[in-house]
Amino acid sequence: MANLFEMPRYIAVEGPIRVGKTTLARILAERLNAQRVMEGEENPFLQAFYQGERGAAFQAQLTFLIRRFEQLRALDLGARSRTVVTDFVFEKDKLFACLNLADQELETYNRYYNYFREQLPTPDLVIYLQATPEVLKKRLKKKNAAGEKAISEDYLEEVAKAYEHFFFHYTSSDLLIVNTSEIDFVERNQDLQELLRKVSEPVKGTQYFLPLGSQETAAMPTARTVAGGASHGD
């Protein structure tokens, strides 16, 4: 019987800071000979936001919103184009806006967000990388990036919880949840090969990649089941 499975044309990798999404997106793009779209980290208002300056959150968020829209609006997803791999989904922008903006700011932000979102394609597959806040804190300290030193541990925990809540309800595309607290696909080739194998197979609905034991993937038919697996990773 012929293998009728076709790789998703548009794959997005997501997760909180230092979870490994950019690394995995780069590896996937190389393996699939795909067009790689990386989220721009430069934002003239970001440092002021981390330092708590008044109004900087709104300025930083609108800057990110416009840049992310421009990046995804330019995607070529035609029938003859290459697979596209991004290290973000557009919806993540609103996730951070809800965390950081005051009510009046969020009202203005939402008008632009909704207008932009209507014009953008939806990924065929989203790979959500999750990790416990403790693991993220350790990786943040190990990386020791100059622009991230002002990130507080409390804020990091809020971000991790926001991602869990968002993907608890996510149904826009097929979803593969990977707990990177136990997987090191940078240092351990076996972990990388298992993850690449799973991505090369059909992912329907929401599935959870189990990092321990046989490292098989369990189908998660309901959002409630997904939440159980996600909270276990915490």
Side-chain angles (χ1 to χ4, degrees):
M1 183 176 179
N3 182 10
L4 300 180
F5 170 65
E6 294 184 4
M7 284 296 298
R9 299 297 306 279
Y10 177 9
I11 302 173
V13 184
E14 254 299 356
I17 188 170
R18 294 296 151 228
V19 80
K21 58 182 177 289
T22 299
T23 298
L24 180 59
R26 175 181 55 79
I27 293 172
L28 286 176
E30 292 173 353
R31 295 297 180 95
L32 299 174
N33 189 30
Q35 175 189 353
R36 179 165 54 119
V37 179
M38 300 291 101
E39 184 176 29
E41 296 182 356
E42 300 226 351
N43 187 319
F45 304 104
L46 193 58
Q47 193 61 33
F49 161 68
Y50 285 146
Q51 294 173 350
E53 292 187 17
R54 185 178 180 85
F58 185 65
Q59 294 169 320
Q61 205 61 58
L62 278 184
T63 299
F64 274 133
L65 179 70
I66 293 169
R67 290 183 177 178
R68 288 163 179 159
F69 168 72
E70 291 174 341
Q71 283 182 291
L72 297 181
R73 189 71 176 83
L75 292 183
D76 180 9
L77 297 173
R80 296 185 180 181
S81 62
R82 290 190 298 170
T83 297
V84 171
V85 177
T86 70
D87 68 345
F88 67 101
V89 296
F90 188 70
E91 289 82 354
K92 73 96 63 74
D93 199 280
K94 188 169 183 177
L95 183 155
F96 281 90
C98 291
L99 276 179
N100 299 317
L101 301 185
D103 289 344
Q104 287 185 329
E105 294 173 332
L106 191 59
E107 183 178 349
T108 300
Y109 167 90
N110 280 335
R111 292 173 61 187
Y112 287 95
Y113 173 87
N114 293 332
Y115 175 73
F116 288 156
R117 182 63 189 92
E118 292 175 355
Q119 304 177 55
L120 296 177
T122 299
D124 299 307
L125 171 66
V126 173
I127 303 173
Y128 164 44
L129 304 181
Q130 62 176 187
T132 65
E134 290 71 26
V135 169
L136 295 175
K137 292 172 188 176
K138 290 178 181 178
R139 292 177 183 172
L140 199 66
K141 291 179 179 179
K142 182 179 180 180
K143 182 71 175 180
N144 198 32
E148 298 170 358
K149 292 181 179 180
I151 300 177
S152 69
E153 292 189 354
D154 288 343
Y155 179 70
L156 194 61
E157 289 187 7
E158 287 183 1
V159 169
K161 290 178 181 178
Y163 269 101
E164 292 292 336
H165 178 77
F166 174 74
F167 281 108
F168 177 93
H169 299 283
Y170 186 83
T171 57
S172 298
S173 56
D174 293 327
L175 176 66
L176 178 64
I177 300 175
V178 183
N179 189 329
T180 71
S181 296
E182 302 294 340
I183 288 180
D184 188 342
F185 50 78
V186 176
E187 299 294 336
R188 290 199 292 268
N189 185 62
Q190 181 180 355
D191 289 347
L192 174 62
Q193 295 307 317
E194 287 293 327
L195 182 52
L196 291 176
R197 175 190 61 79
K198 180 55 202 170
V199 174
S200 69
E201 298 174 352
V203 175
K204 296 299 181 184
T206 298
Q207 295 185 332
Y208 190 84
F209 185 83
L210 299 178
L212 300 177
S214 63
Q215 291 190 318
E216 293 177 350
T217 305
M220 313 296 273
T222 67
R224 180 60 57 187
T225 309
V226 174
S231 60
H232 176 73
D234 288 341

